[in-house]
Amino acid sequence: TVFCVQRIGEIVPATWEEMDLQAGTWAIPRERMKRKDEARGPHLVPIPPRLLALLREWKRADGDGAIHVCPAPLGDGHVTREAVEKFYRRTLELADKHSPHSWRSLFSTWSYDAGRDRDVIESQLDHVVGSKVAAAYDRSTRLDLRRDLMQWYERRLLAARDGADVVPITRNA
């Protein structure tokens, strides 16, 4: 969720088959999306450069027979949404402070504060863009614009990690 801002339930079951590591995109099947509108096709997610490099390394390490991007440590299948949320609560001690879903809010806030295009932000989050009528006609994926946005966001995350001046976000009491 940190670098691609998709929902945890969309991420943990991701398969290598969904990843196009050459094009740098991830095609999430609609049945896993909150918006199940099959006519829209899979939700294409541009993968930012550093994450893409890591995914390529993981794929090489996992081998050709690997199915899941986030395999379960023991047994078949993938890690669960609950395991990731538990990791945030217990291991990272972020209960009532931050959750996997919070990255979507951070992305949206940073992007709007930086004056990024509303339609591009909402498209990345797979939200409806505009009114119902406008959404019915709008078939644009805005993929190139979203790729640029995700590269900007990744740079911003890495700068925050590496000690750039970051203004903490606090709740008003």
Side-chain angles (χ1 to χ4, degrees), residues 18-82:
E18 297 166 5
M19 303 289 167
D20 183 337
L21 300 180
Q22 294 301 315
T25 56
W26 170 26
I28 306 173
R30 274 289 151 197
E31 62 263 13
R32 258 201 346 262
M33 300 298 297
K34 186 173 183 179
R35 287 180 51 206
K36 307 255 188 260
D37 183 2
E38 291 292 332
R40 296 191 66 82
H43 179 52
L44 288 179
V45 177
I47 304 169
R50 299 258 177 101
L51 177 58
L52 183 58
L54 286 172
L55 286 170
R56 287 175 177 152
E57 284 180 36
W58 296 346
K59 177 62 178 148
R60 272 192 300 278
D62 285 354
D64 290 335
I67 296 171
H68 291 99
V69 177
C70 305
L74 302 172
D76 295 329
H78 56 80
V79 296
T80 64
R81 172 187 181 149
E82 293 77 15

Side-chain angles (χ1 to χ4, degrees), residues 85-150:
E85 290 172 348
K86 186 177 178 181
F87 177 77
Y88 270 68
R89 283 190 316 273
R90 292 189 180 170
T91 306
L92 298 178
E93 298 178 355
L94 292 173
D96 300 321
K97 297 175 191 167
H98 191 76
S99 71
H101 198 79
S102 299
W103 293 108
R104 290 171 61 84
S105 297
L106 175 79
F107 163 78
S108 180
T109 301
W110 276 3
S111 298
Y112 278 113
D113 283 352
R116 293 297 184 137
D117 183 89
R118 176 189 189 282
D119 290 352
V120 177
I121 296 166
E122 297 305 323
S123 292
Q124 181 63 23
L125 296 169
D126 197 45
H127 291 162
V128 173
V129 175
S131 68
K132 271 188 166 185
V133 172
Y137 288 96
D138 184 2
R139 299 287 181 231
S140 174
T141 64
R142 298 172 178 81
L143 192 59
D144 288 336
L145 296 170
R146 291 190 298 122
R147 188 175 310 282
D148 176 66
L149 176 63
M150 296 312 293

